[in-house]
């Protein structure tokens, strides 16, 4: 059973309610008003996802910590290597300074150069920077005489059996490294091997592990060498090792304590990592025992070639790193997932309970609605039958009355033409015929008004410009009396209703204009969003504002009751047809005070009426023919 449900007049739309379909839907919903197997399936799936998320988060946490550890370890190694690179720059700048002085600098010149380097600020961790000269055994007396001119106490130590000497001639800052002045680095294998390799290769080299003489702590250290040659361009010896050895004049070197190197590179000790450094089997740096873990969770060992030496970096996680990573995130994920599962179960249970309550209420409302729908359907059927009875049965006696009045008028024709007729007979006959005509108009209006709620009529493409021209012809109007302004569209709409609207408004514009000879109408069209706005303006007497709402009420007319052809329902039909399409209609009248200043028309008297209504675009195509003659 379908019952019509009229929505607010602003929408103009109508929907129907299928009670049988509604009851079928309620029956299906009733089956889902309890915990269904799908609910249990969802809960089980949620539990599986929770366990999977727990295990995945645990694996992801371990992987994240591994990546984090590797990143921190690689960053520490890169910082140490970068610091060594800075030290290399300092040595190479010393080589450049020595080469710029022809391979020989005085003690004072070297002091000024080292002060310019500003070692403590630019190269933190470096103990000093000095010059080592290469001296053949036969040249030692000349070398000592030259050096003692600026340092009378200078001596070379310790003695050794090799036929060459590599004494430290200058080192700055001298006060801090005074014990190293005169040290012949050729006396010891690691020092000598790296120095001679630097001489032969021409590139910076690092010595093996040593104990620096100037280091009071006697911790592991090493020497960093950069060779320099005689004043000629050293690149001349690039491909001739023997020539390079002959041109070799000495080394720019720096003594380094490994602990100071690492502290200078890494800054304050990293509490998350512990680092140890080996050169082969020799330990260069063992890290801080207090920060080490007996069984570290993460460990990285990497061998890196470092200026002729192979250093082994061993980095392990500290207890602090492991405790920071031990936040039991997977357990939190598991607990959170179980809580969500419990909440999901509670939600399903509450939803099923609410559905049962809603369905019980809906059933009561449906039963009541079904009863009301049955009554309304019966009443609608009775009203439709009544409208057709009024149309058929009442019009018949009215036509008979009209015919009898005409017959009576014909029979009394000779009497009415005589010299002694009764004066009231003819007016009574005329009045009788007028009332019959007016009754027929009212009955036709009632029937037409009632069918507005009938079934929807089919739609088609309607050319509104051609529609205007046809209406003008049907109303037998002169083309020059009607002016079309604007672009008139082609609308995919119901032609009958649109034609009914235009016909009523145009016909009323001429019908209620007292000056039939000069009456004109202007029809305009303009696109506004999803609607077209049509305006029908006349030059008639206008409608006072106080009647603007009243004229759309059924059986209302502002003309006298002698207007037998007006049912007073035309504008109501127009309004209902427009609003059923989703549009709106309004009326406005201009006043003499606005348009007729200086005339005899009283101020404030309406002088014209404009009916404006909107019609939905739907599927439309504008027709713009500027060369087409207006009707």
């Amino acid at each position: 059973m379908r019952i019509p449900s009229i929505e607010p007049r602003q929408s103009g739309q109508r929907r129907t309610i299928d009670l049988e379909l509604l009851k079928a839907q309620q029956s299906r919903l009733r089956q889902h008003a309890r915990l269904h197997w799908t609910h249990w399936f969802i809960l089980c799936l949620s539990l599986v996802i929770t366990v999977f998320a727990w295990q995945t988060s645990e694996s992801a946490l371990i992987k994240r910590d591994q990546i984090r550890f590797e990143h921190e370890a690689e960053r520490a190694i890169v910082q140490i290597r970068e610091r060594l690179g800075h030290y290399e720059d300092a040595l190479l700048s010393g080589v450049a300074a020595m080469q710029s002085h022809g391979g020989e600098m005085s003690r004072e010149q070297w002091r000024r150069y080292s002060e310019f380097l500003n070692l403590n600020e630019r190269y933190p961790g470096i103990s000093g920077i000095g010059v080592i000269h290469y001296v053949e055994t036969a040249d030692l007396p000349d070398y000592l005489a030259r050096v003692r001119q600026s340092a009378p106490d200078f001596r070379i130590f310790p003695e050794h059996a090799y036929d060459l000497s590599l004494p430290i001639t200058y080192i700055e800052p001298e006060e801090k490294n005074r014990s190293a002045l005169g040290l012949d680095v050729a006396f010891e294998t690691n020092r000598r091997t790296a120095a001679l390799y630097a001489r032969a290769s021409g590139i910076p080299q690092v010595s093996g592990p040593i104990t620096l003489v100037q280091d009071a702590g006697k911790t592991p250290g090493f020497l960093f060498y950069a060779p320099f040659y005689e004043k000629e361009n050293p690149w001349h010896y690039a491909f001739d090792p023997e020539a390079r050895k002959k041109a070799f004049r000495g080394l720019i070197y720096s003594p380094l304590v490994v602990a100071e190197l690492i502290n200078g590179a890494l800054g304050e000790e990293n509490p998350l990592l512990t680092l140890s450094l080996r050169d082969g089997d020799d330990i260069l740096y063992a890290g801080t025992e207090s920060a080490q873990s007996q069984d570290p969770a993460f460990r990285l060992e990497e061998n890196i070639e470092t200026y002729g030496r192979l250093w082994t970096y061993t980095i392990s996680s500290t207890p602090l790193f492991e405790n920071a990573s031990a936040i039991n995130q997977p357990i939190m994920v598991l607990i959170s997932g179980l809580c969500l599962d419990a909440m999901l179960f509670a939600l399903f249970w509450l939803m099923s309970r609410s559905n049962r309550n809603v369905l019980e209420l809906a059933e009561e409302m449906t039963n009541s609605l079904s009863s009301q729908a049955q009554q309304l359907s019966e009443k609608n059927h009775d009203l439709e039958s009544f409208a057709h009875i009024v149309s058929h049965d009442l019009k018949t006696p009215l036509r008979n009355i009209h015919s009898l009045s005409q017959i009576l008028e014909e029979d009394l024709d000779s009497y009415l033409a005589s010299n002694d007729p009764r004066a009231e007979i003819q007016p009574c006959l005329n009045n009788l015929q007028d009332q019959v005509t007016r009754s027929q108009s009212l009955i036709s209006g009632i029937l037409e008004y009632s069918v507005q709620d009938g079934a929807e009529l089919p739609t088609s493409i309607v050319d509104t410009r051609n529609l205007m021209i046809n209406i003008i012809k049907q109303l037998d109007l002169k083309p020059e009396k009607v002016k079309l302004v604007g672009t008139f569209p082609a609308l995919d709409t119901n032609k009958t209703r649109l034609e009914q609207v235009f016909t009523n408004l145009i016909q009323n514009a001429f019908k209620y204009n007292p000056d039939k000879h000069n009456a004109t109408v202007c029809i305009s069209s303009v696109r506004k969003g999803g609607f077209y706005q049509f305006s029908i303006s006349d030059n008639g007497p206008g409608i006072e504002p106080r009647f603007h709402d009243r004229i759309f009420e059924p059986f209302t007319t502002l003309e006298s009751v002698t207007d037998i052809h007006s049912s007073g329902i035309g504008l109501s039909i127009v309004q209902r047809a427009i609003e059923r399409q989703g549009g709106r209609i309004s009326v406005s009248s201009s006043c003499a005070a606005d348009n007729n200043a200086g005339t005899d028309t009283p101020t404030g008297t309406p002088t014209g009426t404009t009916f404006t209504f909107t019609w939905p675009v739907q599927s439309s195509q504008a027709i713009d023919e500027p060369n087409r003659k207006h009707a």
Side-chain angles (χ1 to χ4, degrees):
M1 178 188 301
R2 291 184 181 272
I3 62 170
S5 176
I6 307 300
E7 295 196 359
R9 299 183 67 178
Q10 287 76 4
S11 63
Q13 302 295 318
R14 184 178 66 176
R15 295 186 303 179
T16 59
I17 300 176
D18 192 333
L19 290 178
E20 297 299 331
L21 177 61
L22 183 60
K23 290 181 178 179
Q25 292 175 344
Q26 289 177 347
S27 178
R28 288 194 298 270
L29 290 174
R30 195 178 297 108
Q31 298 176 2
H32 298 286
R34 60 183 181 274
L35 287 179
H36 197 257
W37 68 267
T38 55
H39 297 144
W40 294 110
F41 174 76
I42 292 172
L43 287 172
C44 293
L45 182 61
S46 178
L47 284 172
V48 171
I49 293 174
T50 298
V51 174
F52 176 76
W54 168 44
Q55 296 180 345
T56 302
S57 64
E58 189 171 21
S59 300
L61 185 63
I62 294 174
K63 185 175 181 180
R64 185 201 67 183
D65 291 340
Q66 178 70 35
I67 293 173
R68 177 163 159 257
F69 169 77
E70 291 176 356
H71 172 75
E72 291 289 337
E74 291 295 337
R75 186 167 68 90
I77 294 174
V78 167
Q79 287 176 333
I80 294 173
R81 291 175 59 81
E82 286 180 350
R83 179 51 56 90
L84 285 172
H86 292 161
Y87 296 164
E88 179 188 11
D89 293 340
L91 295 179
L92 292 178
S93 68
V95 170
M98 187 65 73
Q99 297 286 169
S100 67
H101 286 77
E104 189 64 46
M105 293 177 67
S106 67
R107 185 181 303 276
E108 186 61 30
Q109 288 174 329
W110 185 254
R111 180 178 292 112
R112 288 198 301 269
Y113 165 73
S114 64
E115 289 175 353
F116 176 77
L117 283 180
N118 197 3
L119 294 176
N120 291 334
E121 294 186 6
R122 293 185 182 178
Y123 304 99
I126 195 169
S127 297
I129 186 167
V131 178
I132 298 174
H133 283 99
Y134 173 73
V135 183
E136 296 286 348
T137 303
D139 297 330
L140 277 176
D142 293 338
Y143 166 77
L144 289 172
R146 185 175 66 254
V147 174
R148 286 173 177 172
Q149 291 178 1
S150 58
D153 298 333
F154 182 82
R155 66 183 183 88
I156 298 176
F157 67 96
E159 295 181 359
H160 56 79
Y162 299 104
D163 60 351
L164 61 89
S165 294
L166 294 169
I168 301 173
T169 307
Y170 314 134
I171 185 167
E172 294 293 338
E174 186 173 310
E175 186 65 29
K176 178 180 178 181
N177 298 280
R178 185 177 299 278
S179 59
L181 280 174
L183 178 68
D184 189 348
V185 299
F187 86 98
E188 188 265 332
T189 302
N190 284 342
R191 291 176 171 89
R192 182 181 66 256
T193 301
L196 294 179
Y197 189 83
R199 177 187 69 169
S201 64
I203 59 177
Q205 296 294 320
V206 166
S207 73
I210 62 172
T211 300
L212 299 176
V213 296
Q214 63 268 48
D215 181 18
K218 303 304 178 182
T219 58
F222 60 92
L223 300 182
F224 201 170
Y225 298 121
F228 67 90
Y229 300 85
E230 62 186 13
K231 63 180 180 180
E232 287 82 4
N233 190 341
W235 294 109
H236 293 167
Y237 320 120
F239 304 103
D240 190 349
E242 290 302 321
R244 186 185 299 120
K245 289 180 180 179
K246 292 180 182 180
F248 179 66
R249 290 294 175 265
L251 301 160
I252 304 299
Y253 97 107
S254 178
L256 295 166
V257 176
V258 178
E260 293 180 358
L261 164 67
I262 293 177
N263 292 335
L266 302 181
E268 296 181 1
E269 184 178 358
N270 190 338
L272 302 179
L273 304 176
T274 179
L275 180 145
S276 64
L277 185 62
R278 298 195 317 274
D279 185 328
D281 295 331
D282 297 320
I283 297 176
L284 297 177
Y285 183 75
T288 304
E289 295 184 1
S290 61
Q292 295 180 359
S293 175
Q294 295 296 329
D295 186 17
F298 303 101
R299 189 172 183 273
L300 174 69
E301 186 171 294
E302 189 169 347
N303 296 321
I304 299 177
E305 195 280 330
T306 307
Y307 299 101
R309 306 296 297 181
L310 186 64
W311 285 3
T312 301
Y313 293 84
T314 303
I315 302 177
S316 304
S317 59
T318 65
L320 182 60
F321 181 92
E322 295 162 7
N323 292 335
S325 303
I327 298 175
N328 216 339
Q329 182 178 350
I331 296 298
M332 297 300 296
V333 170
L334 179 61
I335 294 175
S336 300
L338 293 176
C339 290
L340 289 175
D341 293 338
M343 293 172 62
L344 189 62
F345 174 78
L347 177 63
F348 285 158
W349 184 79
L350 291 174
M351 287 176 59
S352 63
R353 180 180 179 183
S354 299
N355 287 340
R356 288 195 299 270
N357 295 336
V358 170
L359 285 174
E360 291 176 0
L361 179 61
E363 287 178 358
E364 295 179 3
M365 296 179 63
T366 302
N367 293 334
S368 175
L369 184 61
S370 177
S371 176
Q372 295 178 7
Q374 182 64 34
Q375 297 176 6
L376 182 59
S377 178
E378 293 175 357
K379 290 181 180 179
N380 286 340
H381 180 72
D382 293 342
L383 288 174
E384 291 177 2
S385 300
F386 174 75
H388 286 86
I389 291 173
V390 168
S391 174
H392 181 270
D393 294 348
L394 293 185
K395 280 187 176 182
T396 300
L398 288 175
R399 284 195 297 269
N400 291 338
I401 293 173
H402 189 269
S403 298
L404 291 174
S405 66
Q406 289 179 332
I407 294 172
L408 183 60
E409 185 176 13
E410 291 175 358
D411 292 342
L412 295 176
D413 185 57
S414 58
Y415 172 74
L416 295 174
S418 65
N419 294 328
D420 191 23
R422 295 179 64 91
E424 65 275 9
I425 292 179
Q426 184 63 51
C428 289
L429 289 174
N430 293 338
N431 188 30
L432 178 62
Q433 294 176 359
D434 290 344
Q435 295 301 321
V436 170
T437 301
R438 180 171 176 81
S439 297
Q440 288 177 335
S441 298
L442 287 171
I443 292 170
S444 298
I446 292 172
L447 181 61
E448 189 174 4
Y449 187 82
S450 65
V451 299
Q452 285 295 310
D453 290 330
E456 291 291 336
L457 297 177
T459 62
S460 61
I461 301 299
V462 181
D463 185 340
T464 54
R465 183 178 290 276
N466 290 336
L467 180 64
M468 297 296 100
I469 295 173
N470 292 335
I471 291 174
I472 292 169
K473 291 179 180 179
Q474 292 173 7
L475 295 179
D476 196 21
L477 300 173
K478 295 180 180 181
E480 62 271 13
K481 293 286 188 178
V482 181
K483 182 180 180 181
L484 302 182
V485 178
T487 300
F488 284 79
L491 302 176
D492 183 9
T493 188
N494 182 265
K495 181 180 179 181
T496 301
R497 284 186 173 158
L498 186 59
E499 183 177 13
Q500 188 179 42
V501 170
F502 278 116
T503 300
N504 271 281
L505 295 176
I506 296 173
Q507 189 176 34
N508 284 353
F510 286 98
K511 178 178 179 181
Y512 295 109
N513 194 326
D515 189 358
K516 307 296 184 184
H517 180 72
N518 295 319
T520 59
V521 170
C522 177
I523 304 175
S524 63
S525 170
V526 63
R527 175 74 176 265
K528 288 193 173 182
F531 291 82
Y532 267 92
Q533 178 178 289
F534 297 96
S535 297
I536 295 90
S537 302
D538 60 47
N539 61 344
I543 301 174
E544 294 184 24
R546 60 194 178 98
F547 296 119
H548 285 180
D549 293 331
R550 181 182 170 190
I551 58 175
F552 293 107
E553 296 177 3
F555 310 108
T556 298
T557 177
L558 302 182
E559 296 292 320
S560 70
V561 293
T562 57
D563 183 7
I564 60 174
H565 298 284
S566 176
S567 64
I569 207 169
L571 289 179
S572 298
I573 294 173
V574 167
Q575 185 184 50
R576 296 188 72 178
I578 292 172
E579 291 185 350
R580 282 178 61 81
Q581 297 297 318
R584 299 292 299 273
I585 185 171
S586 62
V587 61
S588 61
S589 292
S590 57
C591 297
D594 301 326
N595 301 327
N596 298 317
T599 67
D600 295 334
T601 306
T603 300
T605 302
T607 60
T609 302
T610 298
F611 283 91
T612 301
F613 70 91
T614 55
W615 199 270
V617 174
Q618 296 183 2
S619 175
S620 63
Q621 182 180 3
I623 298 177
D624 192 3
E625 302 181 33
N627 298 324
R628 191 177 188 176
K629 290 184 179 180
H630 290 181

